[in-house]
Amino acid sequence: MSSDKYLDQLKREGRIVVVGASLAGLRGAETLRAEGFTGSLTMIGDEPYKPYDRPPLSKQVLLGRATADHTALPRHRAIDAEWRLGVAAAGLDMAARRVRLADGDEVEYDRLLIATGVRARPWPQENEAELDGVFVLRTRDDAVALERALVQSPRRVLVIGAGFTGSEIASACRERGLSVTVAERGAAPLVGALGGVVGEVAAKMHREAGVDLRTGIMVTALEGDSSGHVRSAQLSDGSSVDADVVVVSLGATRNTEWLLGSGLGAGPRGIACDAGCRAFDIRGIVTDDIYVAGDVARSPHALFGYQFLSLEHWGNAVAQAETAAHNMLSESVDRRPHMWVPAFWSSQFGVNIKSVGVPSMGTEILIAQGSREERRFTGVYGYQGRVIGAVTFDQSRWLPFYEQLIETTAPFPPPFPTVDRRPEGDRPLPADFPDPSVPSHGPTVTLSGYSPADRRMTFTPARH
């Protein structure tokens, strides 16, 4: 059968399975229908809920301004899908084209879209993680449980990790009038994502809002009372913090364990795919029937040295899912690359923080507009003589301009005067990112080199 006839038959009668009832999964499914797919569509999700929006969970929901059941994602079109919710994918048989579910059932596919995303990294000591009052924040249920605990006006909340999510949680707690301690092993909040120059500003924001910010320190143990409720935390400097609510915000783990032994190029860093979102197998050979999108994907990006990037960004999930869905229904000549420029936003302590590009690749930063002291500025990141990223604090109107510079590989520092430029100095500063070998809390971008599969691997044939 010719490829055009096969694709026509696939559109009319094919079976497409989406693993991950997520933002990426939903937008991918909608794109499939928009591009003429009329076959069977199955949506598999380990949570009992249809796709919902996660950013409000650490913002409006924790502040009591919205309820978790009102975070459902808006639908752009009907997708006429069979929903398999509350049951996780447990295995993949690439040869037979089957997804095995945790309940023992199997679902056959002609095309597969994997959008399983990430989950919150738990506290490593299981017995301590199970204490009442210890939370993570990733899912609807997590947000509901944590918000209920905050409503009870705990004496003190301890947040472990000052990445974006941890900082947003601390901000919400202070807005509720709660006492908050933040323990961060790095030199400052947000240092892994934005570097030390910007991290200093974030640290001042925390402290001026009344947060007890402890940096360069680790929590070594959580301790509970006789009833099994957390009461204190021991720190690496020998001190302790009394707290009856502890929020563990140590970043995310990609949901790839279910693919172990499948033969797909998947591991702790995510699932490797090409620029067209087609997954690689463990030998580095691209597949034609398995596609990847969203937080779990690792794909090469031409603007960033063809590094494999894992992007935990809302906009990336949407754009990548749309590209994957288009490509799985297209001839090779009609496929398109996923070339979305990373973008991210956060709201904390009354400041809107937005970024474009990959600031964490930067070795230098120039405060191009505004003032760090006033918490209103634009920082531009440089790498090997070109603009690689930008971040704004309450100055987002500049982002489209710097996004264009990133897309056109403009030189760094940017050789131009601007109307409202009030530089703190005309020379760039070292961006001051921590040692990349030490993982930071809550990264929004992970650089994982050039190999489509981890270098330390043992080849295991796919199970049949």
Side-chain angles (χ1 to χ4, degrees):
M1 184 184 298
S2 64
S3 61
D4 57 339
K5 288 184 178 179
Y6 174 77
L7 285 173
D8 182 63
Q9 184 176 352
L10 174 68
K11 282 187 175 183
R12 289 184 290 104
E13 304 171 5
R15 302 161 299 180
I16 295 182
V17 173
V18 178
V19 180
S22 57
L23 169 67
L26 177 62
R27 296 297 179 244
E30 290 174 336
T31 302
L32 289 169
R33 292 304 191 198
E35 300 215 0
F37 177 66
T38 58
S40 71
L41 183 59
T42 303
M43 306 287 293
I44 298 169
D46 60 348
E47 293 185 65
Y49 313 111
K50 289 187 177 181
Y52 58 88
D53 206 13
R54 296 188 190 276
L57 299 181
S58 59
K59 302 176 180 72
Q60 293 94 325
V61 173
L62 288 194
L63 288 169
R65 295 174 183 166
T67 58
D69 57 356
H70 283 82
T71 58
L73 286 165
R75 301 295 183 85
H76 295 163
R77 63 175 57 244
I79 60 173
D80 186 27
E82 177 187 0
W83 292 89
R84 303 291 297 270
L85 299 176
V87 56
L92 172 66
D93 187 332
M94 293 173 59
R97 292 183 174 178
R98 289 194 186 108
V99 175
R100 187 174 72 255
L101 304 184
D103 62 5
D105 199 3
E106 293 186 344
V107 183
E108 296 182 342
Y109 65 85
D110 297 301
R111 291 282 191 274
L112 174 65
L113 175 61
I114 301 176
T116 46
V118 301
R119 64 185 183 278
R121 191 182 301 278
W123 184 246
Q125 301 299 324
E126 188 174 346
N127 60 324
E128 297 174 8
E130 292 177 351
L131 291 169
D132 290 339
V134 178
F135 300 90
V136 295
L137 180 57
R138 175 67 186 175
T139 68
R140 264 182 56 172
D141 290 345
D142 293 338
V144 169
L146 179 55
E147 199 272 337
R148 284 175 180 166
L150 299 183
V151 167
Q152 300 302 314
S153 299
R155 291 174 299 126
R156 178 166 294 275
V157 178
L158 171 63
V159 180
I160 306 176
F164 282 109
T165 300
S167 296
E168 289 173 1
I169 293 168
S171 175
C173 289
R174 288 303 300 139
E175 194 164 340
R176 281 182 170 270
L178 301 173
S179 297
V180 186
T181 295
V182 173
E184 165 59 43
R185 66 184 172 191
L190 312 182
V191 69
L194 300 176
V197 173
V198 176
E200 288 181 6
V201 180
K204 290 179 181 178
M205 287 166 48
H206 276 251
R207 292 187 170 116
E208 290 179 5
V211 173
D212 172 26
L213 176 64
R214 317 275 188 97
T215 58
I217 203 163
M218 296 177 65
V219 175
T220 57
L222 301 178
E223 297 179 347
D225 58 21
S226 57
S227 67
H229 195 287
V230 69
R231 292 303 177 197
S232 66
Q234 300 299 317
L235 306 183
S236 56
D237 64 356
S239 65
S240 64
V241 174
D242 291 335
D244 37 15
V245 169
V246 174
V247 187
V248 179
S249 186
L250 299 179
T253 299
R254 288 172 175 80
N255 293 315
T256 59
E257 292 86 353
W258 66 284
L259 295 167
L260 182 65
S262 67
L264 205 62
R269 294 174 177 175
I271 304 169
C273 62
D274 69 4
C277 307
R278 295 181 299 172
F280 286 103
D281 69 17
I282 199 170
R283 301 165 297 172
I285 298 174
V286 73
T287 62
D288 275 325
D289 53 357
I290 302 175
Y291 291 73
V292 196
D295 297 357
V296 77
R298 296 168 56 205
S299 60
H301 202 304
L303 287 177
F304 305 103
Y306 292 96
Q307 287 261 14
F308 276 74
L309 303 184
S310 298
L311 304 173
E312 296 171 29
H313 294 175
W314 196 96
N316 178 74
V318 173
Q320 195 167 33
E322 291 172 348
T323 298
H326 167 82
N327 288 346
M328 70 169 58
L329 297 177
S330 300
E331 295 275 6
S332 59
V333 294
D334 296 322
R335 291 173 183 160
R336 59 181 186 236
H338 173 59
M339 291 290 289
W340 187 79
V341 176
F344 182 79
W345 71 277
S346 175
S347 179
Q348 51 190 263
F349 305 107
V351 174
N352 286 318
I353 303 171
K354 296 186 177 182
S355 76
V356 292
V358 185
S360 58
M361 285 184 71
T363 55
E364 298 177 282
I365 183 172
L366 176 70
I367 305 303
Q369 282 82 32
S371 164
R372 285 180 290 167
E373 191 64 33
E374 298 174 4
R375 316 282 196 273
R376 187 180 178 85
F377 66 91
T378 299
V380 186
Y381 294 83
Y383 175 70
Q384 295 183 348
R386 54 161 292 202
V387 176
I388 200 75
V391 64
T392 63
F393 278 48
D394 278 345
Q395 210 174 54
S396 60
R397 70 180 186 276
W398 278 103
L399 281 184
F401 174 74
Y402 288 108
E403 182 176 355
Q404 185 179 29
L405 293 189
I406 294 167
E407 289 176 333
T408 56
T409 64
F412 179 89
F416 55 82
T418 56
V419 174
D420 66 348
R421 184 176 181 186
R422 293 187 293 118
E424 299 177 7
D426 287 327
R427 293 184 178 179
L429 303 169
D432 192 21
F433 282 96
D435 182 348
S437 67
V438 179
S440 59
H441 298 149
T444 58
V445 179
T446 298
L447 305 178
S448 51
Y450 300 90
S451 173
D454 294 331
R455 300 183 73 171
R456 296 179 182 177
M457 65 182 184
T458 300
F459 176 68
T460 303
R463 297 169 180 164
H464 297 286

